[in-house]
Amino acid sequence: MPYHAPVEQIRFILNSVVSFPEVSGTEKFTEASPDMVDAILTEAGRMTSEVLAPLNEAGDQHPARLENGVLRSSPGFNKGFQAIAEGGWIGLSADPEYGGAGLPQAINMSVADMMAGACLALQLNPLLTQGQIEALEHHASDELKALYLPKLISGEWNGTMNLTEPQAGSDVGALKSKAEPNGDGTYSITGQKIFITWGDSDVTENTCHAVLARLPDGVQGTKGISLFMVPKYLPDENGNPGEANSLKTVSLEHKMGIHGSPTCVMSYEGAKGWLIGKEHGGMAAMFTMMNAARLGVGVQGVGVAEAALQKATEYAAEREQFGPIIRHADVRRMLATSRAEVFAARAICLACATALDMADATGDADWAARAALLTPIAKTHGTDVGCRVADTAVQVHGGMGYIEETGASQYLRDVRITPIYEGTNGIQAMDLVGRKMMDGGTAAQALLDEIMDNARGNSKICPERAEALWSAAQNLSEATTKLVEMDMDDRFAGAMAYLSAFARVLGGHFHMKAAMAGGEDEQLLARIYIDRILPRNAADLAELEAGVADLNAVSDAALGLA
């Protein structure tokens, strides 16, 4: 079954489930009219289904490769990327001053969802470029913006994010890369970076690396780190790629999935770079890029889940074992719960994007707080659902799911990286219960109040499900009050459980809204979600209350260490 972009569901979520009509009603985004959004989603659906999706298997079977130091992309990727660039999809939310369309992030993330479902390995290229565009818009000098933004937005050049080193993964402050001033406003960058997504490319003219490094007077830890623009080819006087910079792609990582995406080991050997933002302010600039990418990665999980589920559903309808297996209760359970999970995760991601847009358009601190709260939830839950649904899709296929020729396993192999990207899901959960609760839980409680109000408002129409949703939200509210009183180690021990519980309550909330705005299909999916998935919150909240003591009491020997 070929991938079919879920245009109708995305349109329904935007119009009836999240607050996008409020976004299009603001002065900043007044051009995002219903007609324009419909046209964008329709064209994106056509492009992703017809142009990108056919490249997915080719990227898996014929990985990117490095030949004598030259990157060779998977068959058809050049044509696919050209369609992305020429369609203006990279700059959908970028500043119009530099060639972007200036449209809401909710629309950008809707398109990213479809791109990721069609071909995740290729979609990673524009995702990283979009993150770099945002970092430059917020932190770069006018000169850097004028030179790089038009090229990145047009797709002539692509952007990367260079954080990780062999000894410095999540502990970014342990990096060893150095930056030496050249005395002319440029810097010489020396060091090695690993896991650099699309760190080299033959689908663009130039690859622009955002590299974290430490200046000679930079203190140890993250406070001494600066961010630099280090292009593969140095721009000439006309802004075109000129002589090669002193950097090279050492090797490509051999990965379990996303084979079409070249994940590079990069070596910088006195490469020329330009400072992005302030000296020693690299983490602030990089976090702008990472926060944009975190939501994008959550959307990737949703997109791949959609594609995997489509394939499993088609297979179940065709596979005969005592009749079509789609009629068997257990298979139907897997398909129905997966469909309900995908809808909920997609709605959470688009609600997060909508909050970002409202904060951007209005400057309202409450919208900004909501976007900050939802970002780790969207990233973590979106990618967890991606893995869960892709795994279930293999199970629906039975033994054939484990055979590479069916293509079911590719989705599971591809999506498995997403819970690791941009800060592991455990780190996202720790951010939720730590930094995002520095307000004493105010933003979380405000959102839970809305959910309980929604449940009360529908109590006469759908009493059983409304009561279940209200009860789950109330229990989560009480747990949030207890959470902010815990010490940090106890919070961290239950962080993933708390995030999961919050995501499920959000999922129930959005399913309830969909049921009220939609038809019978939406009502039945809401019933599946609220009756079968939402009750798992009780176990999550019990784990949250367990704290850290029992984990610390387990000896290393009991964990299996000699």
Side-chain angles (χ1 to χ4, degrees):
M1 170 184 176
Y3 170 77
H4 177 70
V7 174
E8 290 303 319
Q9 185 176 105
I10 290 172
R11 182 184 289 119
F12 173 71
I13 291 174
L14 288 173
N15 291 336
S16 303
V17 178
V18 299
S19 302
F20 186 73
E22 292 185 59
V23 174
S24 58
T26 64
E27 184 177 351
K28 181 177 178 67
F29 295 120
T30 186
E31 291 187 7
S33 66
D35 287 346
M36 173 179 278
V37 172
D38 281 350
I40 290 170
L41 294 179
T42 299
E43 178 56 23
R46 185 206 63 79
M47 187 269 294
T48 54
S49 300
E50 298 178 8
V51 180
L52 300 190
L55 304 176
N56 197 46
E57 184 178 354
D60 189 55
Q61 298 299 316
H62 304 283
R65 63 195 188 279
L66 200 61
E67 294 181 347
N68 300 318
V70 178
L71 191 284
R72 306 294 185 192
S73 61
S74 298
F77 271 35
N78 200 301
K79 179 182 177 182
F81 184 82
Q82 185 178 7
I84 294 171
E86 291 180 354
W89 301 112
I90 299 171
L92 210 56
S93 292
D95 190 338
E97 181 179 349
Y98 300 99
L103 290 170
Q105 277 294 336
I107 303 305
N108 187 36
M109 288 297 103
S110 297
V111 174
D113 180 334
M114 293 186 263
M115 283 191 190
C119 187
L120 177 62
L122 181 55
Q123 187 264 344
L124 279 159
N125 185 313
L127 173 75
L128 270 296
T129 299
Q130 288 173 340
Q132 190 176 103
I133 288 168
E134 191 156 345
L136 291 173
E137 285 179 346
H138 284 85
H139 300 281
S141 66
D142 290 341
E143 291 77 14
L144 283 184
K145 289 179 184 178
L147 176 58
Y148 285 92
L149 284 176
K151 301 285 191 180
L152 293 167
I153 290 169
S154 69
E156 295 171 77
W157 298 355
N158 72 288
T160 75
M161 185 189 314
N162 282 236
L163 294 84
T164 308
E165 299 180 4
Q167 79 295 335
S170 299
D171 183 8
V172 180
L175 67 78
K176 295 180 179 178
S177 294
K178 298 178 180 179
E180 296 282 346
N182 291 326
D184 60 357
T186 67
Y187 300 80
S188 292
I189 313 300
T190 301
Q192 186 180 88
K193 300 288 184 177
I194 63 173
F195 303 153
I196 309 307
T197 300
W198 280 92
D200 201 355
S201 172
D202 62 352
V203 304
T204 60
E205 296 177 349
N206 203 359
T207 298
C208 308
H209 301 284
V211 183
L212 288 177
R214 200 182 310 277
L215 289 164
D217 60 345
V219 299
Q220 292 303 303
T222 56
K223 293 182 179 180
I225 297 174
S226 302
L227 183 64
F228 301 88
M229 172 61 77
V230 188
K232 178 180 178 180
Y233 295 108
L234 298 172
D236 63 19
E237 63 276 7
N238 297 314
N240 298 315
E243 64 178 281
N245 208 347
S246 300
L247 58 87
K248 63 181 179 180
T249 303
V250 176
S251 62
L252 301 185
E253 306 287 4
H254 299 282
K255 311 184 295 290
M256 68 182 286
I258 54 168
H259 295 150
S261 171
T263 305
C264 303
V265 176
M266 302 298 303
S267 178
Y268 298 89
E269 301 162 354
K272 183 177 287 188
W274 287 260
L275 185 68
I276 299 174
K278 299 178 180 178
E279 291 187 356
H280 319 308
M283 290 307 295
M286 184 59 78
F287 267 115
T288 298
M289 188 172 183
M290 289 183 69
N291 275 329
R294 281 172 176 163
L295 175 56
V297 170
V299 167
Q300 288 179 332
V302 174
V304 177
E306 174 70 44
L309 181 54
Q310 287 185 19
K311 191 171 190 66
T313 304
E314 181 74 9
Y315 180 83
E318 296 175 349
R319 175 64 169 165
E320 293 276 347
Q321 292 286 283
F322 310 107
I325 66 171
I326 198 170
R327 310 302 337 158
H328 299 337
D330 186 58
V331 173
R332 210 158 186 82
R333 172 192 62 82
M334 289 189 282
L335 295 175
T337 54
S338 293
R339 176 51 64 194
E341 287 261 47
V342 171
F343 183 94
R346 177 171 284 132
I348 290 170
C349 287
L350 292 180
C352 182
T354 297
L356 286 168
D357 290 329
M358 288 301 295
D360 183 23
T362 67
D364 189 314
D366 290 339
W367 277 114
R370 177 155 302 182
L373 178 77
L374 289 175
T375 295
I377 299 174
K379 190 275 177 181
T380 301
H381 191 64
T383 58
D384 281 349
V385 165
C387 290
R388 227 171 15 245
V389 171
D391 182 68
T392 300
V394 171
Q395 188 72 16
V396 170
H397 281 78
M400 295 305 295
Y402 204 68
I403 305 300
E404 289 290 349
E405 283 77 6
T406 65
S409 67
Q410 181 187 347
Y411 296 112
L412 180 57
R413 290 186 287 102
D414 282 356
V415 80
R416 187 58 189 84
I417 185 60
T418 59
I420 300 170
Y421 272 155
E422 308 310 330
T424 64
N425 282 1
I427 288 176
Q428 302 299 317
M430 291 164 67
D431 176 54
L432 175 65
V433 302
R435 184 178 292 111
K436 300 306 189 292
M437 293 295 162
M438 290 176 66
D439 64 353
T442 299
Q445 296 288 15
L447 181 50
L448 291 172
D449 286 345
E450 284 185 24
I451 294 172
M452 286 186 277
D453 287 343
N454 173 49
R456 288 192 196 96
N458 294 307
S459 59
K460 293 182 179 180
I461 303 171
C462 187
E464 292 182 6
R465 260 124 235 141
E467 173 61 28
L469 177 58
W470 185 91
S471 179
Q474 176 62 27
N475 290 340
L476 184 58
S477 176
E478 293 173 359
T480 302
T481 299
K482 294 178 182 178
L483 174 75
V484 297
E485 297 173 353
M486 293 179 179
D487 66 37
M488 206 55 73
D489 281 346
D490 283 327
R491 292 192 203 184
F492 289 167
M496 280 297 296
Y498 178 78
L499 186 148
S500 179
F502 212 128
R504 287 202 185 97
V505 169
L506 285 168
H509 171 59
F510 292 129
H511 267 290
M512 179 68 75
K513 293 185 73 172
M516 295 303 104
E520 184 178 7
D521 288 345
E522 286 76 23
Q523 292 162 14
L524 291 173
L525 273 184
R527 177 179 176 180
I528 292 291
Y529 195 92
I530 293 173
D531 289 0
R532 292 176 175 268
I533 297 170
L534 186 59
R536 300 171 192 172
N537 275 27
D540 284 330
L541 296 183
E543 183 179 355
L544 172 65
E545 291 194 9
V548 75
D550 60 339
L551 300 177
N552 288 338
V554 178
S555 67
D556 290 352
L559 294 174
L561 292 177

